[in-house]
Amino acid sequence: MKHVLLLVFLLVFSFFSFSQEEAPQTDTNTNGDDLEQTTELGGLQGIKFGVRGGFNISNLDFEETPPSINKHRNSIFIGFLVSLGLSRSMAIIPELQFSAEGANDEKLHLDYIQLPIMLQFRISEKIKFGLGPQVGLNIPKVDDNLTDIAFSGVAGLEYKINYVFFADLRYNYGFTNIFDTKYGFTANNRTVQIGIGYKF
């Protein structure tokens, strides 16, 4: 499964890199914060690369009584993104990020390499809403009884500060039991991300 995820990422990255090199650049002639340089790509309205990072507040939702005190974990995330404009009001945004999640107990730390794919809608001049699936690859500790792959859903709001900077708020809802079935516990990950980013 890890090899499949790596192959998918390499193919997607290669496609984006090739497409950017081949595409001509055009300027959007608008005023104020809407003055943005876009790259037309086939039927797409534009392509942008970016980075985002920030603060995580995460916890585990147990079905049974937790094996230890289940306090939330405060940590960080950081990643890279590509914004593919389908129209002026809609875009697809695949990302690759590191995200430290799970609960506060070190035995319940979940450090993921994640691939979210967001479908984003423009609500107003400054605000966008997005949602989509996410797959995460756990960076395991020895005999940690945690699963390697986790699937979740993501929803979030993005606020446009200016034509390059933005702030966002996301909620990740885990669908996968984070424990191996032999461990005898069932818990799902829940994470709030408070972030800031830069698109170029």
Side-chain angles (χ1 to χ4, degrees):
M1 186 65 178
K2 295 180 182 178
H3 296 297
V4 173
L5 289 172
L6 180 60
L7 179 60
V8 170
F9 170 71
L10 290 175
L11 288 174
V12 171
F13 182 81
S14 299
F15 170 76
F16 291 152
S17 299
F18 175 79
S19 299
Q20 187 190 31
E21 290 175 1
E22 294 297 321
Q25 292 189 348
T26 60
D27 289 328
T28 302
N29 294 320
T30 54
N31 295 322
D33 287 343
D34 285 337
L35 186 59
E36 302 178 8
Q37 188 178 60
T38 61
T39 303
E40 292 186 0
L41 176 63
L44 299 175
Q45 294 296 307
I47 178 171
K48 287 186 176 182
F49 294 87
V51 294
R52 62 181 292 269
F55 186 66
N56 278 346
I57 305 171
S58 63
N59 206 346
L60 299 177
D61 184 11
F62 279 87
E63 287 189 7
E64 306 86 2
T65 302
S68 60
I69 297 175
N70 187 28
K71 293 183 178 180
H72 67 270
R73 180 188 185 191
N74 298 330
S75 195
I76 63 167
F77 71 92
I78 187 168
F80 305 91
L81 64 90
V82 181
S83 178
L84 302 170
L86 303 178
S87 68
R88 281 186 55 83
S89 60
M90 187 165 56
I92 293 179
I93 305 179
E95 298 182 22
L96 185 68
Q97 68 179 11
F98 168 80
S99 184
E101 303 178 8
N104 191 53
D105 190 325
E106 187 174 356
K107 297 189 297 293
L108 301 177
H109 283 186
L110 298 168
D111 295 332
Y112 285 122
I113 301 296
Q114 294 174 328
L115 179 65
I117 300 177
M118 302 281 285
L119 182 61
Q120 191 177 72
F121 304 90
R122 182 178 179 180
I123 297 175
S124 69
E125 202 64 38
K126 293 284 189 179
I127 299 175
K128 298 177 182 178
F129 170 76
L131 74 168
Q134 175 175 272
V135 60
L137 175 63
N138 184 31
I139 304 172
K141 301 178 179 66
V142 177
D143 298 326
D144 60 4
N145 295 304
L146 303 177
T147 55
D148 291 335
I149 304 295
F151 296 94
S152 55
V154 184
L157 289 173
E158 178 182 307
Y159 177 78
K160 180 180 177 182
I161 299 172
N162 57 35
Y163 70 95
V164 291
F165 286 103
F166 65 92
D168 64 8
L169 178 67
R170 290 188 185 178
Y171 180 67
N172 301 344
Y173 184 91
F175 300 127
T176 305
N177 179 15
I178 65 141
F179 293 106
D180 290 333
T181 54
K182 64 182 180 182
Y183 192 59
F185 285 94
T186 302
N188 301 85
N189 193 50
R190 309 282 187 261
T191 304
V192 174
Q193 291 188 337
I194 304 169
I196 190 165
Y198 177 87
K199 293 178 183 177
F200 51 92

